[in-house]
Amino acid sequence: MIEVNHLTKRFGRVTAVDDVTFRVERGEILGFLGPNGAGKTTTMRILTGYMPATDGTAVVAGFNVFEQPLDAKRRTGYLPETPPLYPDMTVREYLDFVARIKGLPPAERRPRVDTAMERTRVADVRDRHCGKLSKGYRQRVGLAQAILHNPEVLILDEPTAGLDPKQIIETRELIKGLAGDHTIILSTHILPEVSQTCQRVVIINKGRVVAVDTPANLTKRLRGSEMLYVEVDAGAADARALFERLPGVTRVGETGRHDGAVGYEVETVRGQDIRRDLARAVVHEGWGLLELRPTGMSLEEIFLQVTTSEEPVAEVSHE
Amino acid sequence: MSNTLAIAGKELRGYFASPMGWVILGLFALLFGFFYYTFMDLFVRQSMQLSQFGQGPQAMNVNQYMIRPLLQNTSVIILFVLPMITMRTYAEEKRSGTIELLLTSPVTDLQIIVGKFLGAMALYTAMLLVTAVYMGLLYRFGDPEVGPIASGYLGLLLLGGCFIAVGLLVSSMTKNQIVAGMATFGTFLMLWVVSWIGDSAGPTMRTVLSYLSITDHFDDFSKGIIDTKHIVYYLSFITLGLFLTAKAVDSERWRG
């Protein structure tokens, strides 16, 4: 549905997007993840035909956005970072105007506007001026504008930015509900959003694609080894030596001690669960086992890892 | 066409949704009224003086001695008022981010530009229509010729069209309304005074500069002469302005 090939965008000497390539299948929600200034917005602006690329191609809904911009734009809905509202228009007037410039035939405009207002739950403010709406409503009217002409492709730039927690959940549900008939790209720098709404993630940093995968796979990929956190009260004995002797353990690190208890990080070979052996050994020694839990990396840590370090992803170890 | 009209309609509604459109309309009517009164007063006193010397009041032509200078002054008033109309056209869209909506909708740059041009022209036409009421009053008490009035208004429309085209171009190059307004006003002023410089220049230079001066072409219209030379000048000026605006918008896209 969306095909991006070797897309590059330079502003003078600054390269905002550098050789970005990815695909989005029909009905899929793709998360675009990266820190501020990573090139997310620029990529989206290129896809929506707002600005041309310096190099590379982008095909949206079967149309090259540089060669057939009008055809591509007719099939794309776009919510920019700041919802593009005219403060002097009422919500209804605004959506009517959008319906006209999106090229909807006169007979379809009214029902489409009504449907969009209903889906985004802005019908109750239809006669208020856009400039007087709260941030949450503004965002939703922006979303209504994007889905108005029932586009095949939806491009949403930080759709939940600035919303309160309840609105964020509602917006996510709305976006999930739109998937299926629509192919969606959404950008965010908030990680839980990606794992909750997206089927696939493109992590982008400094204009380059760092990783493309499902949220689950990304987490797995980073877990080249598995990690356990253990806290024991071993008295004067050396628990570390015991743990190191257990089969499957590759490394043991002490993380801290308080009130006689010592915390360890035990790294094991991937796919081998040593929790039972470890518990049995501790009990056998007569020590107190205070805590034992696996520590997988959260997406947040992955994000930090992939976007802050140059090292290959698999070699990342927990400090 | 439907896209262009949608944008023109949005522009026009935008002027009147805020007090701005009304303020401009009122301000223009007030300024025009002031000059109208001044020239009428002058005309009445002059013709009374003439009648005292034994000539009838009809000896002075109302078209020549009142309407013509009035319309010429109007061309200067619009030079001050039109920047207020055009300064927001692009600058405001860029500042508020609504330009992203326009540029990502299935409309061409030219449709947007022409739409904005027509929207501003519609407001300007409304301004001129208000002044037509004053002109109508003259028929109640006098007997002016309709021809020169009509040609004068045609000239004003074309002249204003040029100003609006320039204003759009300037507005498309900045995010700041005030900057757009000031720069537009400065440009208008240059286009007006360029013929003054010509007055002190040599004969060749004078002809060239006078041809360039946007207001000099208006003189014939105010006299009741419709010369294709001037119409061609104004229409090509408008076309050039809109064309350059399209280029400016396009270059903005590349630069981001």
Side-chain angles (χ1 to χ4, degrees):
Chain A
M1 206 60 190
I2 301 172
E3 265 178 73
V4 176
N5 280 311
H6 305 290
L7 206 65
T8 301
K9 176 73 186 177
R10 277 187 282 271
F11 297 110
R13 252 173 288 154
V14 182
T15 305
V17 176
D18 191 1
D19 198 25
V20 164
T21 300
F22 64 88
R23 284 173 62 97
V24 192
E25 302 302 329
R26 182 180 290 273
E28 196 177 28
I29 308 184
L30 178 90
F32 226 53
L33 189 61
N36 292 322
K40 293 173 294 192
T41 299
T42 307
T43 309
M44 292 183 145
R45 284 180 164 176
I46 293 171
L47 287 179
T48 52
Y50 178 73
M51 52 170 64
T54 314
D55 211 351
T57 58
V59 177
V60 172
F63 294 96
N64 186 312
V65 294
F66 314 121
E67 280 154 22
Q68 299 144 296
L70 293 188
D71 289 308
K73 284 174 185 177
R74 253 188 280 278
R75 289 161 181 83
T76 312
Y78 176 43
L79 172 64
E81 225 167 332
T82 34
L85 310 181
Y86 291 103
D88 292 330
M89 288 190 188
T90 66
V91 171
R92 160 133 243 151
E93 283 171 349
Y94 172 69
L95 292 176
D96 278 336
F97 169 67
V98 175
R100 289 188 69 182
I101 59 166
K102 296 287 179 189
L104 290 179
E108 276 184 46
R109 279 179 212 148
R110 226 195 153 91
R112 284 283 175 79
V113 168
D114 286 334
T115 316
M117 287 199 295
E118 223 166 86
R119 289 186 92 166
T120 50
R121 292 179 314 276
V122 293
D124 47 328
V125 293
R126 69 179 74 191
D127 294 319
R128 294 255 297 272
H129 283 113
C130 291
K132 299 215 167 97
L133 296 178
S134 68
K135 175 78 187 151
Y137 269 116
R138 246 180 252 189
Q139 198 76 20
R140 277 192 262 166
V141 174
L143 207 53
Q145 163 272 125
I147 64 170
L148 189 64
H149 52 305
N150 204 17
E152 294 167 49
V153 172
L154 269 179
I155 295 179
L156 312 172
D157 199 351
E158 309 237 349
T160 58
L163 300 184
D164 68 38
K166 185 168 165 276
Q167 292 168 335
I168 290 180
I169 293 167
E170 285 174 357
T171 307
R172 279 183 197 150
E173 288 308 314
L174 175 66
I175 293 170
K176 272 195 237 174
L178 290 171
D181 345 330
H182 307 268
T183 306
I184 303 176
I185 297 186
L186 68 88
S187 80
T188 179
H189 59 267
I190 309 158
L191 286 152
E193 190 148 295
V194 167
S195 50
Q196 281 169 32
T197 39
C198 305
Q199 281 124 25
R200 273 194 321 136
V201 190
V202 170
I203 297 181
I204 182 169
N205 187 38
K206 291 180 189 147
R208 287 176 169 279
V209 171
V210 191
V212 186
D213 217 330
T214 62
N217 275 349
L218 273 178
T219 317
K220 231 184 261 167
R221 238 171 86 182
L222 276 139
R223 269 206 255 159
S225 55
E226 278 168 64
M227 194 93 68
L228 293 174
Y229 177 78
V230 194
E231 203 174 303
V232 290
D233 180 4
D238 184 12
R240 188 188 185 120
L242 173 80
F243 295 153
E244 275 170 350
R245 260 180 277 127
L246 288 172
V249 172
T250 51
R251 194 184 68 90
V252 179
E254 200 178 298
T255 58
R257 48 178 77 212
H258 44 88
D259 301 336
V262 189
Y264 295 97
E265 258 180 6
V266 180
E267 215 176 298
T268 66
V269 177
R270 191 169 168 179
Q272 200 166 342
D273 192 353
I274 64 151
R275 281 177 294 178
R276 288 174 196 79
D277 297 341
L278 195 142
R280 217 172 283 131
V282 171
V283 172
H284 186 74
E285 294 290 328
W287 303 335
L289 180 60
L290 303 178
E291 199 173 340
L292 173 59
R293 62 182 160 86
T295 58
M297 258 194 225
S298 72
L299 210 49
E300 201 114 15
E301 288 164 292
I302 295 175
F303 173 67
L304 283 176
Q305 295 283 6
V306 289
T307 56
T308 54
S309 74
E310 299 284 342
E311 297 164 11
V313 173
E315 285 177 15
V316 167
S317 67
H318 228 89
E319 295 305 320
Chain B
M1 198 60 206
S2 139
N3 289 332
T4 310
L5 289 181
I7 290 166
K10 185 222 82 177
E11 290 289 314
L12 191 59
R13 204 163 31 180
Y15 291 125
F16 289 107
S18 65
M20 209 194 71
W22 300 108
V23 168
I24 289 177
L25 213 57
L27 185 74
F28 183 70
L30 197 71
L31 282 169
F32 186 86
F34 174 76
F35 283 104
Y36 178 84
Y37 177 77
T38 314
F39 285 115
M40 189 171 65
D41 190 47
L42 200 70
F43 177 77
V44 168
R45 269 191 285 151
Q46 277 179 342
S47 36
M48 268 165 67
Q49 269 171 8
L50 277 180
S51 65
Q52 278 169 357
F53 289 114
Q55 289 165 319
Q58 286 311 309
M60 259 176 85
N61 184 325
V62 67
N63 279 95
Q64 195 177 349
Y65 291 100
M66 180 190 161
I67 296 172
R68 195 177 141 202
L70 178 62
L71 290 180
Q72 273 174 336
N73 271 279
T74 311
S75 73
V76 179
I77 304 174
I78 61 170
L79 191 139
F80 287 87
V81 176
L82 286 186
M84 289 188 252
I85 295 185
T86 58
M87 65 183 192
R88 63 195 282 279
T89 45
Y90 264 96
E92 178 62 14
E93 302 248 16
K94 284 207 260 184
R95 197 194 54 76
S96 69
T98 45
I99 192 76
E100 285 200 70
L101 170 68
L102 295 184
L103 293 190
T104 59
S105 292
V107 288
T108 61
D109 287 359
L110 199 64
Q111 287 173 331
I112 300 173
I113 292 163
V114 174
K116 283 178 173 294
F117 177 76
L118 291 181
M121 279 304 274
L123 174 59
Y124 175 54
T125 309
M127 284 160 50
L128 292 182
L129 281 178
V130 172
T131 66
V133 176
Y134 296 75
M135 291 296 181
L137 280 177
L138 288 179
Y139 282 92
R140 177 73 180 76
F141 302 105
D143 187 22
E145 265 182 86
V146 75
I149 298 182
S151 78
Y153 272 95
L154 174 68
L156 279 181
L157 267 182
L158 288 168
L159 177 68
C162 293
F163 282 156
I164 289 171
V166 172
L168 271 179
L169 173 63
V170 175
S171 185
S172 74
M173 295 192 284
T174 174
K175 259 185 198 175
N176 189 321
Q177 280 196 49
I178 307 298
V179 170
M182 298 293 281
T184 307
F185 177 63
T187 315
F188 287 5
L189 219 52
M190 290 284 288
L191 290 170
W192 181 38
V193 302
V194 73
S195 65
W196 299 0
I197 307 164
D199 289 344
S200 56
T204 322
M205 204 59 188
R206 185 183 307 163
T207 324
V208 171
L209 289 176
S210 157
Y211 186 77
L212 284 181
S213 170
I214 195 166
T215 37
D216 276 16
H217 288 271
F218 178 66
D219 286 346
D220 276 349
F221 284 103
S222 67
K223 287 178 199 156
I225 303 165
I226 300 179
D227 190 337
T228 40
K229 174 175 91 177
H230 303 307
I231 295 182
V232 167
Y233 172 87
Y234 280 139
L235 289 183
S236 36
F237 196 106
I238 293 171
T239 313
L240 179 70
L242 297 184
F243 171 77
L244 290 179
T245 310
K247 289 291 147 200
V249 171
D250 198 39
S251 108
E252 184 86 1
R253 285 195 149 163
W254 283 93
R255 281 181 287 123

